[in-house]
Amino acid sequence: MSSDEQKIALYRRVNGFTGPLARSGWHWRTRWLARLLASFIWRKNRGRPQQGTLAIAEEWRRLFDLPQFWSIERLEDDTAYCEIRFPCALEGSGDVAACHRLMEYDRALLKKIGGQLVVLQSRADPQVRGACQVAIRRIDDPRSDLIPARLLD
């Protein structure tokens, strides 16, 4: 099994556990587990704080170490618009709130890097196909104009 195949298998196992956990009555444990895993990956992959929005998004993508699943689509108005194509246990479930809980992992990583994340479109929504759409900004960016998927009808 190649290195990428091992990483994919690990991410699938973790997502296969944490996705259903985020939908359960025990969902509060998702936040704890996500932050623990983010700290582990931060140390393991030698994460580094970044300053600019593009550098923050690139470091977030680097930490996953599977570039075929995490892409930076464009940088606009100091916001990096990205896609996540990794298979998700919540895909099509209709439980966008669970997706928000599950994405605590990404938010915890980005906080360490110096950024913040908003999920704009979640594949947990049965109408969203292909990829989750996320936006990344610097942690000190005060704007609140992005509408999180969990708040959309």
Side-chain angles (χ1 to χ4, degrees):
M1 186 180 288
S2 74
S3 175
D4 276 3
E5 289 171 333
Q6 289 175 338
K7 286 181 248 177
I8 290 168
L10 175 63
Y11 280 130
R12 282 183 188 246
R13 280 194 306 274
V14 169
N15 189 270
F17 174 74
T18 56
L21 179 65
R23 297 189 73 193
S24 76
W26 294 85
H27 66 77
W28 55 271
R29 291 182 182 210
T30 307
R31 173 178 256 178
W32 174 84
L33 186 57
R35 290 178 179 179
L36 181 69
L37 289 170
S39 291
F40 172 74
I41 291 298
W42 176 259
R43 285 189 300 276
K44 179 184 175 291
N45 292 347
R46 296 183 180 106
R48 296 179 306 271
Q50 301 294 324
Q51 296 299 315
T53 302
L54 183 57
I56 291 166
E58 287 172 341
E59 180 70 355
W60 166 76
R61 185 174 182 243
R62 183 190 74 79
L63 288 171
F64 282 99
D65 199 24
L66 290 167
Q68 67 270 35
F69 295 109
W70 284 265
S71 63
I72 301 167
E73 297 299 307
R74 71 184 192 283
L75 183 66
E76 183 180 300
D77 193 24
D78 209 22
T79 303
Y81 293 91
C82 307
E83 290 187 349
I84 302 172
R85 295 187 176 279
F86 193 83
C88 180
L90 298 175
E91 190 165 347
S93 69
D95 197 342
V96 179
C99 171
H100 176 74
R101 291 188 287 270
L102 190 60
M103 292 300 288
E104 180 63 25
Y105 175 81
D106 294 73
R107 287 191 300 276
L109 272 181
L110 278 157
K111 186 175 182 182
K112 291 175 177 299
I113 299 167
Q116 57 181 311
L117 176 124
V118 174
V119 176
L120 302 172
Q121 291 185 351
S122 168
R123 285 179 295 157
D125 179 339
Q127 296 176 346
V128 175
R129 300 271 186 247
C132 294
Q133 308 291 321
V134 300
I136 295 173
R137 289 182 171 160
R138 291 183 333 274
I139 201 163
D140 60 353
D141 191 316
R143 293 178 289 173
S144 59
D145 58 317
L146 299 173
I147 302 170
R150 72 181 194 284
L151 299 180
L152 299 173
D153 289 329

